[in-house]
Amino acid sequence: AGRFWIDGPIDNILMFSFFAAALRRSLQSLGGKVNVAGSAWLATVLFGAVLEIGKLGFEGRFPNANNVALAAFGALVGVTLVPMIVGSAPVRSHPMRALLVLALVLVTHAGLTPFEFRLTDAAIADKVAGIEWLPFTMYYHADPKEAVFDLSQKLLRYGLLGFSVAGLSAGKRWMPLAVGLAIGAILETAQLLTVARITSVTDVLISGIGGLLGGVVYAWYCGWRNSAALTSS
């Protein structure tokens, strides 16, 4: 499917900003007099540079200095803006709701980019005729590496959605699966109005599986947290 030219840079910035924010928080928990923001930023930039150098060992991949620059900018966002957002009153008061909003933004962006719509009856009829009804048809003849990457990205996004839904659903274990399927179905239906996207039953199934996995991870996290609390008490 087509993408905005800005989608790639935004993906890199988001990835490195989250990485830097998590690293900053980890360094803070260790204490000490180290400049946690500066250290997290530098470590993230070095990590981005190592990733680019590592491409020399892979066929068809080439180092790109622009990616290191994006890593530096993303790391800066991660050590400055992200902690401010996380520490804001609305997010601190409703962390799971904030996580749900983030997950919805991510899955909506991924599902509808590049946001080119064609609303004529003929175009919509063509899109309906092109629906992939047979599950996983898109992966049958795809390059295995690209298929695994595409699948993992979708599972991660909907896993985040399922994790947040599980945190808000008060123990209703079926809710992450149901919400994942519902959001996936809504976005796939909306793709009938787009130019570049192909509506697929496969993506609806993946959204449900991702939501379910996110719910499982949340249950594991709660068990681990409760076990740690009992151990420390």
Side-chain angles (χ1 to χ4, degrees):
R3 286 166 61 89
F4 276 138
W5 68 268
I6 197 65
D7 283 351
I10 290 295
D11 287 345
N12 281 335
I13 290 171
L14 284 175
M15 176 181 67
F16 285 109
S17 65
F18 292 153
F19 180 86
L23 184 57
R24 183 181 190 272
R25 185 174 180 84
S26 297
L27 292 175
Q28 279 182 323
S29 66
L30 296 176
K33 298 181 179 180
V34 65
N35 183 336
V36 292
S39 299
W41 180 84
L42 180 60
T44 303
V45 175
L46 290 175
F47 177 65
V50 169
L51 286 179
E52 291 305 308
I53 294 173
K55 291 179 180 179
L56 293 171
F58 293 87
E59 184 178 354
R61 303 301 298 271
F62 303 96
N64 189 334
N66 290 336
N67 290 335
V68 180
L70 291 172
F73 180 72
L76 182 62
V77 172
V79 299
T80 55
L81 184 59
V82 172
M84 291 173 58
I85 295 174
V86 172
S88 65
V91 174
R92 289 177 65 87
S93 300
H94 306 285
M96 280 299 174
R97 292 180 183 177
L99 190 63
L100 177 61
V101 170
L102 174 62
L104 287 173
V105 169
L106 292 177
V107 298
T108 301
H109 175 267
L112 297 182
T113 186
F115 301 99
E116 295 179 51
F117 298 95
R118 185 175 297 161
L119 306 181
T120 65
D121 292 341
I124 295 174
D126 287 341
K127 296 300 292 287
V128 171
I131 294 175
E132 289 186 351
W133 293 103
L134 183 63
F136 299 101
T137 299
M138 65 175 68
Y139 294 133
Y140 291 159
H141 303 292
D143 178 80
K145 291 182 291 186
E146 293 182 359
V148 170
F149 179 77
D150 179 76
L151 178 61
S152 64
Q153 292 293 303
K154 292 173 181 175
L155 289 177
L156 283 172
R157 285 189 291 265
Y158 279 96
L160 181 63
L161 177 68
F163 186 93
S164 60
V165 169
L168 294 168
S169 58
K172 297 178 181 178
R173 296 189 176 183
W174 53 269
M175 189 65 77
L177 171 63
V179 172
L181 288 172
I183 297 299
I186 290 171
L187 290 177
E188 290 302 304
T189 301
Q191 288 179 4
L192 294 173
L193 308 177
T194 66
V195 175
R197 313 293 300 194
I198 297 175
T199 299
S200 169
V201 172
T202 302
D203 284 343
V204 178
L205 295 176
I206 292 174
S207 67
I209 294 171
L212 179 63
L213 291 176
V216 170
V217 172
Y218 179 80
W220 172 85
Y221 167 73
C222 289
W224 170 82
R225 184 179 58 185
N226 294 335
S227 176
L230 289 174
T231 302
S232 61
S233 61

